[in-house]
Amino acid sequence: MEDQRGHEVAPDPVRFAVLGPVRVWRAGTELHLGRPQERALLALLLVRAGQPVSVSEIVDVLWGGRPPDTAVNVVHRHVGALRRLLEPGLPTRATGQWLLRDTGGYRLVADSDSLDLLRFRALRVEARRAASDGAPERAVDLLTKALSLWQGPTAHGIPVEARTHAAFVSLEGERLATVKEAADVALRADVPGVVLPRLRDAAADSPLDEPLMARLMLALSATGRRPEALSTYVTVSNRLADELGIDPGPELRDAHHAVLRDTASTAAGPAAGVSEARTAQGPAASDLVGPRAASLPVPAQLPLDLPTFTGRRAELAEVLAPRSSEGRSAETVVISAIGGMAGIGKTTLAVHWAHRVADRYPDGQLYVNLRGFYPSGAVMRPDEAVRGFLDTLGVPPERVPHGLDAQAALYRSMLAGRRFLVLLDNARDSDHVRPLLPGTPGCLTIVTSRNQLSGLVAAHGAHSLTLRPLGTDEGRELLIRRLGAERVSAERVSAEREAAAEITALCAGLPLALACVAARAATHPHFSLSAVAAELREAHGSLDAFIEADTSADVGAVFSWSSRALSPAAARLFRLLGLHPGPDFTAPAAGALAGLAVREARLLLTELSRVHLINEHAPGRYAFHDLLRAYAAELAHTQHGEAECRAAVNQLFEHYLYTAHAAGRLIAPYVDTMPLPPLPEGILPEPLADDESALAWLAAEYAVLLAVIDVATDSGADRLVCLLVSSLERFFDRQGHWHDWAAVQRTALEAALRLSDPVVEAHGLLGLARVAGRLGLRDEAGAHLDRVLGLFTELGDDVGRAYVHLSLGWEAEQHGDLPGALRHDQLALDLFRATGRQAAQATALNAVGWDHATLGDHQQALDHCLEALTIQRDLGDHVGQAATWDSIAYAHHNLGDHPQALTSYRNALTIFRDLGVPAEEAGTLVRIGDAHRATGDHAAARAAWRSALALFTELAHPDAERVRVRLEELGEPPGDA
């Protein structure tokens, strides 16, 4: 190229990108590429860089099978426009530097320094050379660098029809082959965590590629994510069956066997892992888990054993006897269905038995009350129970798969090869517990239920044990243990023994009833048992009718007699507490239900607890036995009438609603939720001082709040359901309770539709879209967002529209559509500015700033984020400030200003620590370490990464592995990491 005087002028340096969005930079400035067809032409030339591309192929890409008559002329014009774009000073008809005519077409000149695709291929060749030279670690590093060049799907941004051309499809195949190659080399080098993010991305794009999914499973297992690896196998197996009608192939099955034996960490790729799995001899059950299982939690969830446990010698002898029938060893799964009526002592025996044998199950004990016969109907669903166990076993919420079958499979995989004791209390029927049964030998499962659970006996070989009422001797023994031997065997021994026998008969041998009598007798230590028996006899009747009918409608004279000792206020509270829907309750809740001050309610609860009608199972938290709860509820409906009962329950629900709303405002003060009506007269929400106390209250009342939603739904309190779910959204999200959030959000949306209120419906849809996005249900999230955007538009609600665009921006980023994310977030920002929502405006500013940073425009990112920070400081929005400081630091880091990046990261870190948000704190520590490494301060980088690793490990967070990899790259021994 020559200037006007004929002197040679070096062309401006040009860089091209096609591994993701099609982009061009000239002299460091990104160029606007014009119309979609021009971008598609450039993309085709880039993927064929160095090779001639015929005009006919260009026409095929631009128009498919329907080109216009002027197609060739249009191609020539597009080529001219591209030449002028790349070399604006190029004279007409001059030969350019980059885009040349060649054998009936055009050829783009590029090399590995100017085109990311050629750089990718060069790195891949160099990696293969390193692997063949016996340097797998270097090969992994090179392949990782090669894959990091991909910023999204090939030629992202050109028309979809053009991207279906073979040139682009084959390049995607090249990318996938490189991911698999990187996985194989990383497994051989024992650094699988390095490639795990790329494997995840590729698996999301190609979920039916069995060789890819096999490598993902092996890498997950080798990085300590064995449960997720096993869950992946279940997911892909189901998908193959549903979409293709086939079973997993040999490579996927062999990877599954390798994961079960935990051999993936030593595998040199799928073949090596499979080989080891195939040749392994069957180890003992305790050896199946592998060395990584040592870091898994050892739960001990059993309730306290009753110190006054009495009798049941025959039953204990039966369940403690070794079992080897039908050739099965004593370690075979044994499911003992302890059946019997309410109050017969099923749970007490099961807990006592479990404590007797707990030492035989060193991997832990799991317990759940399934509430199968809960009077309020708030039965725990199997998926709730499974998720609770997975949480106990250390599975982070974001790693819990969607759907009961996949969750149950992951749970069984967690227990495979380990020795657990599982106590499933108060099951409704066999189907209620099947998802919770371990699938391999070595575990003991104890199930209690009022029903016989014959399905477990028939299908799972369960040993069934039906409890009967206590006999005279055992009843007397229980009274001795509760009251003391001197009380039962005092003077007139014969008379007292007869009195004890009569009390046992009047209590029908029910341990619960006997415990109530003993508690009443203990409050009158000078009463003889004969006097107690006489008083009980005067109550008229016994529990015989209850025994025969097995209903909780008539618990007979014993409970009536026990409640006679109560003050009128305590008796009234006892009756109303039977209406409480949750598994337990507190003094403020009891006060709300009965219209009492908290101090008065607390005194009455102490009175009820003293006579054994309720139990303080944790400080300040009280619970009923199901039988007593049913009895109290029946008394409430009989003595107070439906109107008074309904008013009491409404007061209770409003107490929970207004307290939950206040708690939500404390943990997320600048997030909009549906407003509540003015506080009704007489309703006193619990006082919460700060976000810490709000989080503590929400966590303690979590199960209660879910039960309130269920019961309120059944009773037709639709508006309360919608408002309560809206108030809880930020708590669900912050704690990772996404599956529960999805369930109650669907309930709320159904309630909103019944209300025929478009405002409530719109908020319900937006919440459902958010949680669907968290669960990775992209199609569902998108459909909900499209629908709710239309609703908010019809309502003229610009604030609602803005929040929808923020969600659409987040979804676009998850899809890799970075320009789309920026577009939606900018729309949200414009709407928030127009409506004067400052806190939301700052959130959108930070989102727009982050979008610019991910697109490489870091100065724009800083401009937006600094504006956001100013608003957040004025408002005192600490959560927003922390997130924005982190974005600012990220931009400075990428601009090479590492000292400023470190200052900004430390600002974010300080706030996250003050807020008590360990996951965000750990993430910022990782980036602080990255900034230190960039400056060459490896000691500071190690210190930051060690702190991050400690937090991630405590949280059982999947990002712990990537921190270990960073430490190992700096020479940190794995054991020290």
Side-chain angles (χ1 to χ4, degrees):
M1 179 176 176
E2 299 178 346
D3 64 10
Q4 293 178 345
R5 297 180 180 180
H7 297 142
E8 287 291 329
V9 177
D12 291 331
V14 176
R15 287 191 301 111
F16 303 95
V18 72
L19 303 183
V22 183
R23 303 173 73 183
V24 180
W25 295 263
R26 188 183 66 238
T29 300
E30 185 168 4
L31 306 179
H32 177 66
L33 296 182
R35 289 168 289 183
Q37 279 197 337
E38 292 175 11
R39 292 199 303 272
L41 168 60
L42 176 59
L44 178 61
L45 293 168
L46 289 173
V47 299
R48 294 286 179 79
Q51 305 170 27
V53 182
S54 67
V55 172
S56 62
E57 186 176 6
I58 295 173
V59 170
D60 185 45
V61 168
L62 299 188
W63 288 283
R66 297 185 298 276
D69 295 337
T70 58
V72 174
N73 290 333
V74 173
V75 169
H76 292 325
R77 287 201 301 272
H78 288 339
V79 169
L82 282 175
R83 277 182 170 157
R84 290 189 295 274
L85 181 72
L86 298 176
E87 300 176 77
L90 185 68
T92 304
R93 299 187 183 281
T95 300
Q97 174 75 17
W98 306 107
L99 187 51
L100 310 177
R101 281 187 175 274
D102 195 322
T103 60
Y106 298 93
R107 174 168 55 90
L108 190 136
V109 178
D111 57 23
S112 61
D113 290 329
S114 59
L115 175 58
D116 57 357
L117 172 59
L118 297 181
R119 175 64 176 158
F120 165 77
R121 288 171 174 163
L123 287 168
R124 190 178 181 191
V125 170
E126 191 178 351
R128 287 173 174 170
R129 188 180 302 118
S132 65
D133 291 342
E137 294 86 355
R138 174 162 170 71
V140 171
D141 182 58
L142 291 166
L143 289 169
T144 303
K145 288 179 179 176
L147 289 168
S148 69
L149 295 171
W150 290 80
Q151 301 299 309
T154 305
H156 187 64
I158 71 171
V160 175
E161 297 80 4
R163 286 182 56 211
T164 61
H165 188 270
F168 303 114
V169 174
S170 64
L171 195 52
E172 284 295 320
E174 194 173 336
R175 174 191 189 184
L176 192 59
T178 307
V179 172
K180 296 174 185 176
E181 186 177 344
D184 293 345
V185 180
L187 283 164
R188 283 199 295 272
D190 200 23
V191 288
V194 176
V195 297
L196 190 53
R198 295 291 171 181
L199 274 170
R200 289 188 195 279
D201 292 343
D205 294 334
S206 305
L208 297 176
D209 187 320
E210 294 188 58
L212 174 68
M213 302 306 289
R215 287 166 169 86
L216 175 60
M217 289 169 57
L218 293 172
L220 287 167
S221 181
T223 53
R225 298 175 176 85
R226 185 165 174 264
E228 187 182 350
L230 294 167
S231 173
T232 299
Y233 178 76
V234 173
T235 300
V236 71
S237 298
N238 291 338
R239 186 174 284 126
L240 288 168
D242 293 343
E243 298 184 24
L244 302 180
I246 62 174
D247 294 327
E251 192 167 0
L252 196 61
R253 292 198 306 271
D254 289 343
H256 182 227
H257 294 317
V259 172
L260 286 174
R261 290 162 175 79
D262 202 31
T263 59
S265 59
T266 60
V274 169
S275 175
E276 183 171 346
R278 283 173 173 166
T279 59
Q281 299 299 312
S286 59
D287 298 330
L288 285 173
V289 187
R292 298 181 187 272
S295 62
L296 294 175
V298 180
Q301 292 188 323
L302 292 179
L304 290 175
D305 192 11
L306 188 66
T308 56
F309 182 85
T310 303
R312 301 300 190 194
R313 294 180 183 83
E315 290 89 346
L316 282 170
E318 183 176 346
V319 296
L320 291 172
R323 305 189 185 286
S324 57
S325 61
E326 301 176 4
R328 293 176 293 183
S329 71
E331 301 303 330
T332 301
V333 176
V334 176
I335 307 163
S336 291
I338 303 177
M341 69 191 74
I344 199 69
K346 300 181 297 296
T347 297
T348 302
L349 173 60
V351 170
H352 182 71
W353 169 21
H355 278 281
R356 289 275 298 269
V357 300
D359 61 330
R360 303 178 193 173
Y361 302 93
D363 289 315
Q365 304 91 47
L366 299 171
Y367 169 84
V368 64
N369 180 2
L370 295 170
R371 306 195 299 266
F373 296 89
Y374 216 57
S376 69
V379 178
M380 178 177 286
R381 302 188 311 271
D383 59 321
E384 294 179 75
V386 171
R387 291 199 298 273
F389 282 167
L390 290 174
D391 180 64
T392 299
L393 293 168
V395 180
E398 65 272 19
R399 299 302 182 204
V400 175
H402 189 64
L404 175 59
D405 290 343
Q407 292 164 6
L410 175 57
Y411 161 71
R412 287 192 293 271
S413 299
M414 293 288 293
L415 268 57
R418 304 174 72 189
R419 297 177 61 79
F420 267 91
L421 188 155
V422 183
L423 176 47
L424 309 174
D425 195 17
N426 203 6
R428 189 169 195 85
D429 50 33
S430 298
D431 290 337
H432 201 183
V433 298
R434 280 197 179 94
L436 304 171
L437 303 179
T440 57
C443 297
L444 170 67
T445 306
I446 305 171
V447 185
T448 76
S449 176
R450 293 187 200 174
N451 293 328
Q452 291 293 321
L453 304 188
S454 55
L456 293 186
V457 177
H460 298 273
H463 173 77
S464 181
L465 178 68
T466 300
L467 299 189
R468 304 194 179 283
L470 297 178
T472 299
D473 291 341
E474 288 182 322
R476 178 175 172 276
E477 183 181 350
L478 185 150
L479 293 173
I480 290 174
R481 294 291 298 273
R482 297 293 183 106
L483 300 174
E486 67 282 356
R487 180 83 175 271
V488 180
S489 303
E491 59 192 48
R492 299 181 59 203
V493 172
S494 177
E496 292 299 85
R497 285 184 175 178
E498 290 178 4
E502 184 178 6
I503 290 172
T504 301
L506 290 169
C507 290
L510 286 182
L512 175 63
L514 281 164
C516 289
V517 173
R520 170 82 186 277
T523 62
H524 299 284
H526 303 298
F527 282 15
S528 66
L529 285 188
S530 298
V532 172
E535 190 180 54
L536 182 60
R537 193 185 313 120
E538 291 174 1
H540 302 297
S542 70
L543 297 182
D544 289 340
F546 167 71
I547 294 170
E548 295 300 325
D550 190 18
T551 72
S552 54
D554 176 19
V555 294
V558 174
F559 298 154
S560 173
W561 172 81
S562 297
S563 63
R564 289 182 186 178
L566 299 173
S567 65
R572 175 177 178 269
L573 180 60
F574 171 73
R575 295 190 295 270
L576 293 177
L577 285 172
L579 306 174
H580 190 286
D584 58 5
F585 44 85
T586 61
L593 185 64
L596 302 170
V598 175
R599 183 176 180 276
E600 184 180 0
R602 187 173 289 113
L603 291 173
L604 296 177
L605 290 172
T606 301
E607 183 179 347
L608 292 173
S609 180
R610 191 166 54 242
V611 296
H612 209 67
L613 290 174
I614 61 173
N615 172 44
E616 189 176 8
H617 69 94
R621 302 200 70 85
Y622 300 84
F624 272 115
H625 186 284
D626 285 358
L627 194 56
L628 282 162
R629 179 191 295 272
Y631 175 65
E634 184 187 0
L635 289 179
H637 289 292
T638 301
Q639 297 189 27
H640 296 286
E642 293 305 315
E644 186 177 347
C645 289
R646 188 163 49 251
V649 171
N650 287 342
Q651 289 180 161
L652 177 69
F653 286 178
E654 288 178 336
H655 164 81
Y656 282 123
L657 169 62
Y658 282 87
T659 308
H661 187 79
R665 297 292 296 168
L666 283 169
I667 66 173
Y670 298 105
V671 174
D672 286 312
T673 57
M674 281 195 292
L676 301 188
L679 186 68
E681 185 178 353
I683 301 301
L684 296 175
E686 293 195 38
L688 302 170
D690 50 29
D691 64 334
E692 184 176 353
S693 61
L695 274 174
W697 184 86
L698 288 165
E701 300 292 348
Y702 184 60
V704 175
L705 292 167
L706 293 180
V708 167
I709 292 169
D710 285 344
V711 174
T713 301
D714 292 340
S715 64
D718 288 335
R719 191 167 298 277
L720 183 138
V721 168
C722 296
L723 293 172
L724 181 53
V725 171
S726 174
S727 300
L728 294 173
E729 277 189 31
R730 296 304 165 184
F731 175 72
F732 283 126
D733 199 18
R734 182 163 169 175
Q735 299 301 110
H737 296 312
W738 298 325
H739 293 280
D740 287 339
W741 181 13
V744 299
Q745 196 72 59
R746 290 188 177 94
T747 298
L749 181 58
E750 292 169 359
L753 292 172
R754 286 193 295 271
L755 290 170
S756 298
D757 186 331
V759 174
V760 180
E761 179 186 349
H763 283 278
L765 272 171
L766 182 55
L768 195 53
R770 286 170 175 160
V771 68
R774 290 287 188 266
L775 290 169
L777 305 175
R778 302 281 176 240
D779 292 341
E780 181 181 339
H784 292 323
L785 288 172
D786 289 343
R787 182 178 166 197
V788 74
L789 184 60
L791 273 176
F792 279 128
T793 301
E794 291 173 8
L795 290 166
D797 186 342
D798 287 345
V799 173
R801 286 174 55 212
Y803 277 114
V804 176
H805 280 297
L806 271 185
S807 293
L808 285 167
W810 186 84
E811 286 294 335
E813 183 185 354
Q814 302 308 301
H815 282 286
D817 180 8
L818 302 183
L822 175 58
R823 184 175 63 256
H824 282 297
D825 289 336
Q826 184 65 56
L827 284 170
L829 175 58
D830 294 342
L831 288 166
F832 283 135
R833 277 177 168 158
T835 54
R837 296 295 181 106
Q838 281 198 303
Q841 178 183 329
T843 299
L845 279 165
N846 184 36
V848 170
W850 178 259
D851 294 334
H852 280 299
T854 60
L855 288 166
D857 191 346
H858 301 297
Q859 190 55 55
Q860 277 274 31
L862 286 174
D863 292 344
H864 284 82
C865 291
L866 289 171
E867 185 181 351
L869 188 64
T870 301
I871 297 172
Q872 289 160 343
R873 280 173 164 168
D874 291 342
L875 294 173
D877 181 0
H878 299 296
V879 175
Q881 287 178 59
T884 302
W885 273 122
D886 195 81
S887 300
I888 290 169
Y890 179 79
H892 280 303
H893 180 104
N894 284 279
L895 285 169
D897 187 354
H898 298 114
Q900 186 58 53
L902 285 168
T903 299
S904 301
Y905 276 136
R906 290 187 185 113
N907 290 338
L909 183 67
T910 299
I911 300 173
F912 281 137
R913 282 177 172 167
D914 290 343
L915 293 172
V917 191
E920 282 77 2
E921 177 186 344
T924 299
L925 281 166
V926 172
R927 290 183 283 278
I928 287 175
D930 292 343
H932 279 305
R933 180 170 63 174
T935 65
D937 190 349
H938 289 181
R942 285 191 192 94
W945 288 339
R946 284 179 187 139
S947 298
L949 180 58
L951 288 169
F952 278 145
T953 301
E954 183 179 351
L955 294 168
H957 198 285
D959 285 348
E961 182 60 27
R962 67 184 178 97
V963 182
R964 289 191 183 94
V965 171
R966 280 172 165 79
L967 287 165
E968 290 172 16
E969 288 172 351
L970 291 187
E972 184 96 358
D976 295 340

